[in-house]
């Protein structure tokens, strides 16, 4: 049974709206997201289990997939892996706190980002816009943020995406291209651990075959640029055996 729900509000023409496939089995979340995301200008289709997700994905060619981890019939991880094997569409996983380990796996099988329940709509939309920004071919002009607002600020560090400028404690710091990309990715995911594989994949590309020491070298140089004491990093920390994390108390991103 197809349960695709039509929004009753007047809408912009469908072609102008970013198509989101929402894969979620909890009605309370579905209801809130259908309304909230429609208000943000997204065109939402709901799939309530893993099989529906794949069927709707093939029919609808969404611009972005919001994918719950725990689903009937086919797990979110399986859906993620299958979609990624045939498409580069941005995927954001939605997880519960207890599924943190699965989140690491999700990023490794190709999810672009994740949010943990309970989350605020504003945070979710900021993350959606961030992943859409990284895939410009899927983004309508109306979804692109005004240049002066395309900044990410966490604590005392700010990156300005348009000018590729990083400002640390009020002072501009000169980063090389990959260092800037790495810092931006870590800051957009402030407070979360990103695995070495994910960092290498996002910054250098999935076909990167160079020395894995490259990442460490870049992290080390980034620390000399942003840390008060690079030998005792407090912003860009190592999570032993897993990867790195940007620590910051506040994420005031995007808008
Ligand atoms: Ca669920």
């Amino acid at each position: 049974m197809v349960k695709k729900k039509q929004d009753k509000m007047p809408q912009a023409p469908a072609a102008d709206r970013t198509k989101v496939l929402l894969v979620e089995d909890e009605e309370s979340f579905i209801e809130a997201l259908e309304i909230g995301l429609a208000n943000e200008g997204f065109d939402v289709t709901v799939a309530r289990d893993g099989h529906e997700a794949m069927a709707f994905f093939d029919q609808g060619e969404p611009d972005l997939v919001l994918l719950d981890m725990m689903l009937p019939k086919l797990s979110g991880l399986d859906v993620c892996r299958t979609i990624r094997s045939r498409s580069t569409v941005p995927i954001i996983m939605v997880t519960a706190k207890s599924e943190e380990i699965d989140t690491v796996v999700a990023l490794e099988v190709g999810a672009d980002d994740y949010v943990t329940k309970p989350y605020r709509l504003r945070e979710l939309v900021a993350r959606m816009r961030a992943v859409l920004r990284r895939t410009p071919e899927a983004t309508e002009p109306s979804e692109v943020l005004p240049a002066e607002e395309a900044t990410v600020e966490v604590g005392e560090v700010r990156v300005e995406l348009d000018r590729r400028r990083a400002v640390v404690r009020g002072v501009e710091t000169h980063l090389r291209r990959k260092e800037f990309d790495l810092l931006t990715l870590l800051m957009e995911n402030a407070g979360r651990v990103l695995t070495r594989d994910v960092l290498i994949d996002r910054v250098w590309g999935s076909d990167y075959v160079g020395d894995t020491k490259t990442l460490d070298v870049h992290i080390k140089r980034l620390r000399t640029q942003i840390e008060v004491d690079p030998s005792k990093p407090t912003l860009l920390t190592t999570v032993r055996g897993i990867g790195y994390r940007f620590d910051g108390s506040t994420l005031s991103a995007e808008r």
Side-chain angles (χ1 to χ4, degrees):
M1 178 168 48
V2 176
K3 295 173 186 163
K4 182 171 176 174
K5 190 178 165 186
Q6 298 299 319
D7 193 347
K8 293 176 196 74
M9 309 242 305
Q11 296 183 349
D16 292 345
R17 296 160 65 90
T18 302
K19 288 192 287 178
V20 176
L21 177 59
L22 169 64
V23 188
E24 174 61 76
D25 60 324
E26 284 170 59
E27 289 301 330
S28 58
F29 277 93
I30 293 172
E31 225 165 89
L33 282 176
E34 276 190 312
I35 296 166
L37 294 180
N39 287 342
E40 293 287 336
F42 295 102
D43 176 20
V44 181
T45 299
V46 180
R48 287 175 165 77
D49 63 52
H51 287 162
E52 267 191 8
M54 290 317 305
F56 291 173
F57 178 79
D58 288 336
Q59 290 163 18
E61 294 180 8
D63 300 310
L64 186 147
V65 180
L66 272 182
L67 183 53
D68 187 33
M69 187 74 82
M70 299 293 284
L71 290 169
K73 296 187 184 172
L74 203 59
S75 79
L77 275 183
D78 288 335
V79 172
C80 180
R81 199 178 282 120
T82 310
I83 289 178
R84 187 52 80 232
S85 70
R86 55 180 95 157
S87 166
T88 59
V89 66
I91 302 173
I92 298 179
M93 297 293 305
V94 180
T95 69
K97 272 264 183 289
S98 57
E99 300 158 4
E100 198 97 42
I101 286 296
D102 291 340
T103 308
V104 173
V105 180
L107 292 171
E108 272 165 6
V109 300
D112 294 273
D113 202 352
Y114 70 94
V115 292
T116 305
K117 289 177 183 174
Y119 52 82
R120 287 171 307 152
L121 181 68
R122 192 174 173 283
E123 183 200 353
L124 176 67
V125 171
R127 294 198 174 281
M128 290 168 70
R129 296 220 158 100
V131 297
L132 286 166
R133 215 170 37 233
R134 292 202 286 270
T135 51
E137 70 278 9
T139 310
E140 298 296 333
S142 61
E143 302 297 334
V144 178
L145 295 169
E148 72 271 17
E149 289 178 351
T151 67
V152 182
E153 188 162 5
V154 182
E156 46 200 16
V157 182
R158 183 176 80 241
V159 291
E160 300 171 4
L161 304 179
D162 53 327
R163 290 192 280 175
R164 297 189 66 83
R165 219 167 79 102
V167 179
V168 181
R169 291 176 288 278
V171 179
E172 180 170 3
T173 181
H174 297 281
L175 301 180
R176 295 172 190 152
R177 187 184 160 78
K178 295 296 186 192
E179 290 161 0
F180 184 88
D181 293 345
L182 191 57
L183 179 61
T184 302
L185 180 61
L186 283 159
M187 286 178 64
E188 282 178 334
N189 292 279
R192 304 135 171 258
V193 186
L194 295 184
T195 65
R196 299 177 55 84
D197 284 351
V198 164
L199 290 168
I200 290 170
D201 184 53
R202 298 303 152 74
V203 175
W204 283 272
S206 54
D207 50 357
Y208 178 75
V209 289
D211 191 341
T212 58
K213 286 275 188 291
T214 301
L215 175 62
D216 305 298
V217 170
H218 280 75
I219 292 282
K220 195 171 173 188
R221 195 179 127 79
L222 258 184
R223 282 176 174 155
T224 68
Q225 302 289 312
I226 66 172
E227 297 284 353
V228 175
D229 178 356
S231 67
K232 296 190 188 69
T234 56
L235 295 173
L236 213 176
T237 53
T238 303
V239 181
R240 201 173 295 259
I242 301 180
Y244 296 99
R245 176 177 59 217
F246 194 94
D247 287 308
S249 48
T250 48
L251 173 67
S252 55
E254 273 84 40
R255 355 179 6 238

